[in-house]
Amino acid sequence: VTSRSAGRSQKSLPVVPPPAGRAGAMIDPGSYDGQTNLKGLRHGQGRYVYPNAFFTYDGDWVNGKKHGRGKLLFGDGSYYEGDFDDGEINGEGTRTWPSGARYTGEFLLGERHGSGTLSTEGGVTYEGQWNGNRRHGRGKLTSADGSVFEGDFVLHRQTGQGRLTRPDGETYVGQWRDGVRHGVGRMTWPDGAAYDGDWEAGVIHGQGAFDSGDASGQPRRAYTGGWTQGKPDLQAASVVWQGLIAEETAPAEQGETPPQPPAEDGPLPLV
């Protein structure tokens, strides 16, 4: 007899059926109810309750190891159902928790690894690539408030290129590091304001251009130049006040206040 699962094959001995009347019966911790081979190893279909009673496995066996399709139940009420390979959770399957959280996708040695989707009880969903239970690679993260991030993840955090869209229409497209805006990017707000330029640790910082636009009904104001921790420097390459352009080579005249972009908020929550 040859068994094939998760890309591997194993030669095995003939299957011996379970004793009459035992199939489906309740069994004690450390006990097995199912098929065996001529060596007495669990082989074929069977249910095994581990000695500590926290784990129960019901599914395919090959030569004493979980191999094929099966369901592993945990004492806390969670369970995994899917592929097993040579005794390990490897391949495709679903892990479900009592809280309502659920992951469906690829596993490696019991961890989320490859492509998959995790939905939490709090309404957060991540669909994309995983490495060692962490978001890693390309993915889409939707938070409970409806905000959506699509882009790169490194070790569970937004790092690289990405696009964040808020429910009110606020959008950022650009670079990220450790879950916050960092590098070069463009931010647009629902009232028509926009900023193009440098960011550091989630704050406008460096060189950039801000334009309030005219959708708010207020006089248009724009600023191009340096920024420090979210505030424009007093010296700018150009400033636009109510449609008039003034070239600046020195600090702005006293009493002139450069425009302030709308307030920033923090990064998306972790799953």
Side-chain angles (χ1 to χ4, degrees):
V1 179
T2 301
S3 173
R4 297 183 181 275
S5 177
R8 301 183 60 179
S9 64
Q10 295 186 9
K11 293 185 177 180
S12 55
L13 297 173
V15 172
V16 177
R22 288 290 295 158
M26 296 297 292
I27 57 178
D28 297 325
S31 300
Y32 172 71
D33 179 34
Q35 297 173 312
T36 59
N37 60 22
L38 294 178
K39 289 186 176 181
L41 298 175
R42 295 184 287 272
H43 189 90
Q45 288 285 321
R47 181 171 181 264
Y48 178 60
V49 178
Y50 285 76
N52 65 8
F54 187 82
F55 302 100
T56 300
Y57 174 77
D58 194 347
D60 296 331
W61 298 85
V62 173
N63 293 329
K65 294 183 178 182
K66 302 183 293 291
H67 190 88
R69 296 287 295 182
K71 185 174 183 178
L72 182 63
L73 297 93
F74 303 89
D76 61 1
S78 64
Y79 63 89
Y80 166 82
E81 188 168 11
D83 293 334
F84 290 82
D85 180 33
D86 200 26
E88 301 288 351
I89 295 176
N90 281 336
E92 295 186 355
T94 298
R95 179 75 191 274
T96 304
W97 290 266
S99 64
R102 182 183 180 92
Y103 170 81
T104 299
E106 296 177 310
F107 290 82
L108 178 65
L109 298 177
E111 295 184 330
R112 298 185 292 273
H113 192 96
S115 297
T117 300
L118 174 66
S119 300
T120 74
E121 66 278 14
V124 179
T125 300
Y126 172 77
E127 180 180 2
Q129 296 175 308
W130 297 83
N131 187 311
N133 275 342
R134 296 179 176 182
R135 299 188 296 261
H136 191 85
R138 295 287 296 181
K140 179 180 179 180
L141 177 64
T142 304
S143 62
D145 69 357
S147 298
V148 178
F149 173 86
E150 294 184 79
D152 300 325
F153 290 84
V154 175
L155 298 177
H156 215 55
R157 293 183 177 275
Q158 301 97 318
T159 299
Q161 291 288 328
R163 177 188 184 95
L164 174 63
T165 303
R166 301 284 189 186
D168 63 0
E170 177 187 291
T171 302
Y172 171 82
V173 180
Q175 296 175 314
W176 296 74
R177 189 173 75 181
D178 291 333
V180 296
R181 305 169 186 91
H182 189 95
V184 178
R186 174 178 174 82
M187 186 86 167
T188 57
W189 288 270
D191 64 0
Y195 170 81
D196 277 285
D198 298 328
W199 298 75
E200 184 175 298
V203 178
I204 294 172
H205 188 88
Q207 293 294 312
F210 172 78
D211 191 329
S212 67
D214 51 17
S216 64
Q218 300 297 320
R220 177 171 171 263
R221 309 181 87 190
Y223 171 87
T224 300
W227 298 77
T228 301
Q229 294 299 305
K231 297 181 179 180
D233 298 338
L234 293 180
Q235 183 166 314
S238 65
V239 178
V240 177
W241 296 147
Q242 300 184 18
L244 299 177
I245 298 178
E247 294 299 327
E248 295 285 337
T249 57
E253 295 180 6
Q254 189 171 359
E256 258 185 29
T257 303
Q260 298 287 331
E264 278 304 293
D265 47 15
L268 287 176
L270 298 177
V271 172

